[in-house]
Amino acid sequence: MKLVISILLLISATAFAQKSTDVVAQVGKKTITLEDFNKKYNEVKSQTINPPTKEQFLEDLVRYEMGVQEAEKRNLQKDPIVQDRFNQEMYKALLEKDIGQRVQKIQVSDAEMKAWYAKNPELRTSHILIEFKAGATPAQVAEAKKRATEIYEEVKKSKRPFEELVKLYSDDALSKQVGGDIGWQSRVTLVPNYYEAVANMKVGEITGLIETQFGFHVIKLTGRRSFENANKRQIRAAVFDEKRKQVFNDYFERMKKSYPIKENKGLLK
């Protein structure tokens, strides 16, 4: 009797055992097998702290398949916006396939970081901003420049501390409260022409007028940080980014040999 019960239990267990080819959902013309489901569900579980339940995730898959099939019925694959997004994904997939591993293997040494930092130190500045709004007319920009020039002349001959002049003249309401100080900044956090203007200055020196998209600046260099005290994470990221750009540049320079390319850069001016 026990033998018969054991055989029956074995048959029952085998009959109800899950197979990877078992179908967990059929959505129109799309079949979702247990293998498909588990693969996608495990990916989601590995990427989130609070994954959905299997039932919730199955509902998400069903909705996704319904959406894709509905979009196909409406020929959305021919929509220019959809085609553009598809092309973007193909472009990213190509780069990942061809140079993804090269980028992942990039190493940044302390010597490379020090060499980069020697040319791109962290600087501390204070400034007087004479602003003009985005979209300002040429006349408005000219008026701002005229005022900025007058202020810069006053700063150059004044014996008052720079911090006092900031409070008198600057349009930057935030930094104005602290004498124009904008804290320690680097090449990657400052507007390029602002950084270039002060990179070779001596501490205590004042320069102007420097134009950015925010307006005209009169700038005082107040500090130059040593490598030992600098933001190493930011430096490492900057060096990594330069090496990554070189990988991209090399890749596309080789590719250009296979494609006829004509450019009319004169139209950009």
Side-chain angles (χ1 to χ4, degrees):
M1 182 66 178
K2 289 182 179 180
L3 179 60
V4 172
I5 292 174
S6 297
I7 293 173
L8 288 173
L9 287 173
L10 180 60
I11 293 173
S12 176
T14 303
F16 289 98
Q18 293 177 327
K19 300 177 183 177
S20 62
T21 55
D22 285 345
V23 176
V24 292
Q26 180 76 39
V27 186
K29 60 184 179 182
K30 175 69 175 181
T31 296
I32 303 174
T33 66
L34 180 63
E35 182 179 15
D36 294 333
F37 176 87
N38 285 333
K39 181 180 179 181
K40 292 177 181 177
Y41 184 68
N42 289 332
E43 286 178 2
V44 170
K45 282 182 64 177
S46 67
Q47 296 170 2
T48 181
I49 299 174
N50 186 24
T53 64
K54 288 188 174 183
E55 290 76 13
Q56 289 171 332
F57 187 67
L58 179 60
E59 176 62 18
D60 288 341
L61 283 182
V62 169
R63 293 179 180 183
Y64 173 78
E65 293 300 340
M66 286 193 298
V68 169
Q69 292 178 45
E70 182 66 22
E72 288 176 344
K73 277 200 294 186
R74 300 185 190 183
N75 286 321
L76 289 184
Q77 63 271 31
K78 297 179 181 179
D79 184 281
I81 295 176
V82 175
Q83 289 179 337
D84 183 58
R85 290 179 181 173
F86 177 72
N87 289 339
Q88 290 179 32
E89 291 303 317
M90 281 203 303
Y91 174 76
K92 289 189 287 185
L94 174 70
L95 296 182
E96 180 61 32
K97 177 180 175 60
D98 284 1
I99 60 177
Q101 288 190 348
R102 288 178 60 192
V103 171
Q104 290 178 6
K105 291 178 180 178
I106 291 175
Q107 299 290 325
V108 177
S109 68
D110 287 344
E112 289 172 324
M113 291 170 61
K114 288 179 181 178
W116 184 88
Y117 190 77
K119 299 177 181 178
N120 307 280
E122 290 178 11
L123 305 170
R124 190 163 191 169
T125 61
S126 295
H127 76 144
I128 296 171
L129 172 67
I130 298 84
E131 69 176 355
F132 52 79
K133 303 294 184 182
T137 65
Q140 290 171 327
V141 173
E143 178 61 31
K145 186 172 184 178
K146 178 176 180 296
R147 177 170 167 252
T149 301
E150 293 170 353
I151 291 172
Y152 183 40
E153 293 302 318
E154 174 65 24
V155 170
K156 286 193 292 185
K157 65 184 181 182
S158 177
K159 297 186 181 299
R160 303 175 73 172
F162 188 79
E163 294 75 11
E164 288 186 17
L165 298 171
V166 169
K167 292 179 180 179
L168 282 175
Y169 299 122
S170 184
D171 293 330
D172 183 353
L174 188 61
S175 71
K176 189 174 186 175
Q177 304 305 313
V178 287
D181 181 37
I182 62 170
W184 291 104
Q185 303 290 340
S186 71
R187 183 178 291 279
V188 297
T189 60
L190 275 176
V191 175
N193 51 330
Y194 187 110
Y195 184 89
E196 292 295 344
V198 298
N200 296 315
M201 286 170 54
K202 296 178 181 179
V203 173
E205 192 176 348
I206 296 173
T207 191
L209 298 170
I210 308 304
E211 183 178 354
T212 70
Q213 66 264 43
F214 305 108
F216 295 96
H217 305 257
V218 177
I219 310 168
K220 180 179 180 180
L221 180 65
T222 60
R224 185 181 297 271
R225 185 175 265 172
S226 67
F227 176 77
E228 288 70 27
N229 296 320
N231 185 335
K232 302 297 194 303
R233 179 178 295 181
Q234 189 177 89
I235 298 170
R236 185 177 296 277
V239 176
F240 177 89
D241 191 51
E242 284 194 355
K243 298 179 84 169
R244 178 176 56 187
K245 285 180 181 177
Q246 190 58 53
V247 171
F248 274 65
N249 291 343
D250 292 344
Y251 175 74
F252 283 108
E253 283 304 313
R254 290 195 303 272
M255 187 179 291
K256 280 183 177 180
K257 297 176 183 178
S258 302
Y259 290 87
I261 298 172
K262 294 182 180 179
E263 297 178 331
N264 188 355
K265 293 183 179 179
L267 294 175
L268 303 178
K269 297 179 182 180

